[in-house]
Amino acid sequence: MFDWIYSIPMPRFAALTCGFFVAFSWIGTVLVRPVLRTFVKHRENVNDLVGYVLSCFGVFYGLLLGLLAVAAYQNYRDVESVVSSEASSLAALATDISAYPEPERKNLVWLLRDYTRDLIKIAWPNQRRGIVSLEGEYTMDAFHERLLRFEPVTAGQEIMHAETLKQFNHYIEKRQLRTLAVSTSIPKVMWSVVLIGAMMNITLVWLFDMRLTSHMFLGGILACFLGLMIFLIATMDNPFRGEFSISADPFQGILARLMEE
Amino acid sequence: MRMSLDRKQSFSSKSWSRCIASLAGCAILGLLCALSGCGEIPSSSSSDVVEQFLGKKEEPSPIQVGILFSQTGSMSISEMPLKHAVIQAIDEINAKGGVLGRPLIPVIRDGRTREDIFAKRARELVDGGASVIFGAWRSVDRKAMIPYVENSETLLFYPLQYEGNESSRSVFYGGMTPNQQILPALEWFMSPEGGSRSRVFLIGSDYVFPRTANYIVKEFLKNKSMQVVGESYVPFEHKDFESHLRAIRESKADLILSTINGTSNIAFFHQFAQLGMNSQATPILATSLGEAGLRSILASETTGHFAAWSFFQSLQQDRARGFVRRFHEEYGIDRPVHDPMESAYTQVYLWREAVERAGSVSADAVRQVLEKTIEVEGPGGLVRIDPRNHHVYKRLRIGRIRPDQQFDVVYESPDWIRPEPYPDFAFPGWDCDWTRGGLQKGPVVKIEE
């Protein structure tokens, strides 16, 4: 629903989120506050009452935001770890195939090189747009096919071939985990609760009885912080998307090595 | 009176507060804008300002370019590099601003060395809005794709040398026809420079290209000093050539014309060497084996044999060397570059030139431009489309395989050879001229299958 946010440069997205909540808070302070305050008019200690409700609400909402931020960060770290693990597995596969006799070794190296190159140049930019590319799958199919075509002659080759096939399967598992992570994100229903909660938080602030300038300043600060928190969660929500995303750097070294093979 | 003054003072105080609040608001918003670079926004319409603030640029709609080669199956060894060549051309074009200011988006599919999959994928590409498809190696795959492109707004660019005997208004053929490749190569082998050879054995994969090409060869050799002493066909991925090679030896052939495709070449050359046959007495003239295919075969088993193409990696022309160098920079210095790759690469530029001249990617508009004389400089030299039949003029080069699996060019045709998909002696009465009514059919020619 909000995929377009990942095409915005990060500082602008932060400014946009904060600006939106601050604007919402200020507009409400000027336009809605006089109407809302009729509910609590002529009551004593109204600020204490609103403060109490707001602090109760803030605890629950803060918990929700905090847990979400931690979960998003944890997910980001997990996916980063999957990518590192995938890169390690690919490096191990590259090492295994270097022991094959010619011309199989060369063909396998070329396929792995093509795959790594496409991963960096095609698959990763596509992932940033939320798309899983098929190109890598084709090349890996070709690699697997070439591996299966190899017929070991010596006992040493048999062991090496079995190990390579095992490593290949291991790599495919890691790759699968990464491709699945491309589309994982916080459910829409949770986002709805977060956004509605933020609006309610700001609405409660409108009930305070204080000078307009102080009201706008304090409301603005709270709205700005809420915007920042939501910006943080949204940025980390999709680990492969936007500027703050996991890069293909772990694969660059493998490509450089395969280019020299 | 006093009360009204108090109210007035009170009202004035509220106004003052609002004024300060508004100023503070503007200041904070201004600060946020400045932090995010909003201050650079020139005055324009409000939607433009929003777009610019969001950092979104109005990007021209991309043009989808279908790439359909076998990335798996027995032909992947030969076809995979063609995909790279097309992508390289697309990358170069995109780096220079795309076509008509629009970027090219490659949409890559795997034909899996199966004509039914080629047909299915071609239909998907056509339905998906690809303006053009660059694809296929084998004739069976091309033929499977043609019905889908003919009934669509998509053109097919086929980069391989092939048997001819075909014309489609939606297909542009970038490879050589037999009159540009096999026939002049045989003439060279009949000449003293080629060893004055007189007995040729035809062996090929069992599909339309080898069958038709060999039919043309037999018709061509009827009044020549060379005779066909045997003919055999093997299925794709065939690995046991012993009986075929014994038949070749018994026929006393002094030349083998091989139209074997794909991985079967590995077994063919290996068993040829194992049987003690050699390239001096019985050289193999391969028409479907280039530098890429050679890398899967031991160098000692191929050295001294021949291949007939228009482009070899070892060509020393500046454009050829530049093409090879750029490819190596991108895919690795050890990657072989071969003729069909050059054709596929050049065809992308031919299509781009036509689109630029037509000012549109519409198949009709592009075809109209291509059916006029159109030329581009390719790595192998100037490439010109014959508007009559959508094929290209080609120069023949015969290469002898070196121990480093490159080719020494031993013969080069003095001029560009005009493409003839329907040579008179093989297909009497048949001709194709799209500038004058299209295909002219003659009597049906039955080719043994």
Side-chain angles (χ1 to χ4, degrees), chain B residues 175-370:
Chain B
M176 303 165 107
T177 50
N179 81 296
Q180 295 171 301
Q181 183 196 27
I182 301 176
L183 306 185
L186 287 175
E187 277 185 326
W188 183 77
F189 276 102
M190 284 185 254
S191 72
E193 294 79 28
S196 303
R197 299 182 190 270
S198 59
R199 298 171 69 81
V200 63
F201 194 101
L202 313 177
I203 185 163
S205 299
D206 195 3
Y207 77 108
V208 62
F209 163 60
R211 292 268 181 191
T212 311
N214 287 342
Y215 160 75
I216 294 169
V217 166
K218 285 184 282 184
E219 292 297 313
F220 174 71
L221 292 179
K222 270 181 180 168
N223 301 314
K224 305 279 181 185
S225 61
M226 185 180 273
Q227 60 170 312
V228 177
V229 294
E231 183 178 359
S232 66
Y233 297 92
V234 293
F236 280 108
E237 300 196 59
H238 188 73
K239 286 181 180 169
D240 184 9
F241 284 93
E242 197 175 327
S243 60
H244 301 275
L245 287 163
R246 289 196 191 285
I248 290 170
R249 195 149 63 180
E250 281 162 20
S251 71
K252 294 192 169 58
D254 55 9
L255 178 68
I256 300 169
L257 176 63
S258 167
T259 43
I260 295 171
N261 271 257
T263 48
S264 292
N265 275 306
I266 302 170
F268 179 62
F269 277 90
H270 180 64
Q271 287 161 33
F272 180 94
Q274 275 194 329
L275 276 178
M277 299 169 80
N278 66 72
S279 59
Q280 291 290 324
T282 325
I284 300 166
L285 169 63
T287 60
S288 298
L289 183 68
E291 290 88 339
L294 282 177
R295 290 299 173 109
S296 296
I297 311 171
L298 286 176
S300 58
E301 293 169 355
T302 54
T303 304
H305 292 292
F306 295 85
W309 293 105
S310 182
F311 178 88
F312 289 111
Q313 183 180 327
S314 52
L315 290 183
Q316 290 304 306
Q317 284 91 330
D318 285 348
R319 279 187 170 274
R321 286 166 63 184
F323 167 61
V324 172
R325 191 192 66 245
R326 288 194 301 278
F327 187 80
H328 282 167
E329 281 169 2
E330 199 60 41
Y331 292 95
I333 199 157
D334 55 344
R335 296 300 279 265
V337 178
H338 59 115
D339 177 276
M341 288 169 68
E342 189 263 353
S343 286
Y345 174 88
T346 309
Q347 280 194 311
V348 182
Y349 277 94
L350 261 175
W351 172 78
R352 185 200 67 161
E353 182 68 20
V355 172
E356 292 283 2
R357 285 199 205 174
S360 158
V361 289
S362 134
D364 276 340
V366 174
R367 188 170 24 229
Q368 273 178 25
V369 173
L370 286 167

Side-chain angles (χ1 to χ4, degrees), chain A residues 12 106 113-114 121 145, chain B residues 52-53 73 84 330-331 334:
Chain A
R12 289 186 190 191
K106 198 57 132 180
R113 191 190 289 167
D114 289 349
K121 294 203 168 182
E145 189 182 76
Chain B
Q52 288 208 30
F53 173 75
H84 298 142
E330 199 60 41
Y331 292 95
D334 55 344

Side-chain angles (χ1 to χ4, degrees), chain A residues 136-231:
Chain A
E137 205 174 298
Y138 295 148
T139 317
M140 272 291 125
D141 285 349
F143 184 85
H144 189 221
E145 189 182 76
R146 197 60 59 86
L147 265 186
L148 293 180
R149 202 174 282 163
F150 177 70
E151 289 170 5
V153 182
T154 63
Q157 281 183 356
E158 263 179 40
I159 296 166
M160 173 198 72
H161 190 52
E163 190 53 41
T164 309
L165 283 169
K166 198 171 142 189
Q167 189 60 48
F168 175 80
N169 289 333
H170 186 59
Y171 176 74
I172 293 298
E173 279 172 25
K174 299 284 177 193
R175 177 187 145 79
Q176 185 69 10
L177 283 176
R178 173 176 54 82
T179 52
L180 285 174
V182 173
S183 53
T184 54
S185 60
I186 293 169
K188 279 177 190 167
V189 64
M190 206 168 256
W191 270 121
S192 309
V193 172
V194 167
L195 292 174
I196 293 167
M199 302 296 181
M200 286 167 74
N201 230 328
I202 293 167
T203 307
L204 281 173
V205 174
W206 292 338
L207 290 169
F208 277 115
D209 181 22
M210 62 177 85
R211 283 175 60 205
L212 184 66
T213 42
S214 312
H215 209 153
M216 288 182 85
F217 181 73
L218 291 175
I221 293 276
L222 180 76
C224 188
F225 182 66
L226 283 175
L228 269 179
M229 283 298 284
I230 287 169
F231 155 76

Side-chain angles (χ1 to χ4, degrees), chain A residues 26-128:
Chain A
W26 286 352
I27 289 167
T29 307
V30 174
L31 301 178
V32 186
R33 186 183 72 139
V35 181
L36 274 184
R37 288 200 57 212
T38 55
F39 294 115
V40 290
K41 210 173 180 183
H42 309 306
R43 293 200 181 176
E44 284 182 12
N45 303 325
V46 66
N47 282 353
D48 292 344
L49 184 69
V50 173
Y52 176 72
V53 174
L54 187 64
S55 61
C56 284
F57 184 84
V59 169
F60 291 112
Y61 188 71
L63 270 175
L64 173 70
L65 273 194
L67 288 174
L68 263 184
V70 170
Y73 182 68
Q74 190 61 47
N75 182 48
Y76 183 91
R77 298 292 299 180
D78 288 348
V79 177
E80 202 172 41
S81 159
V82 164
V83 170
S84 300
S85 175
E86 185 190 354
S88 307
S89 187
L90 190 66
L93 194 57
T95 307
D96 284 350
I97 59 168
S98 64
Y100 276 70
E102 296 290 2
E104 282 81 5
R105 187 194 71 86
K106 198 57 132 180
N107 285 320
L108 290 170
V109 166
W110 287 346
L111 282 170
L112 211 56
R113 191 190 289 167
D114 289 349
Y115 173 76
T116 315
R117 181 191 173 279
D118 287 353
L119 186 68
I120 295 166
K121 294 203 168 182
I122 300 173
W124 227 265
N126 278 342
Q127 275 179 185
R128 283 195 161 193

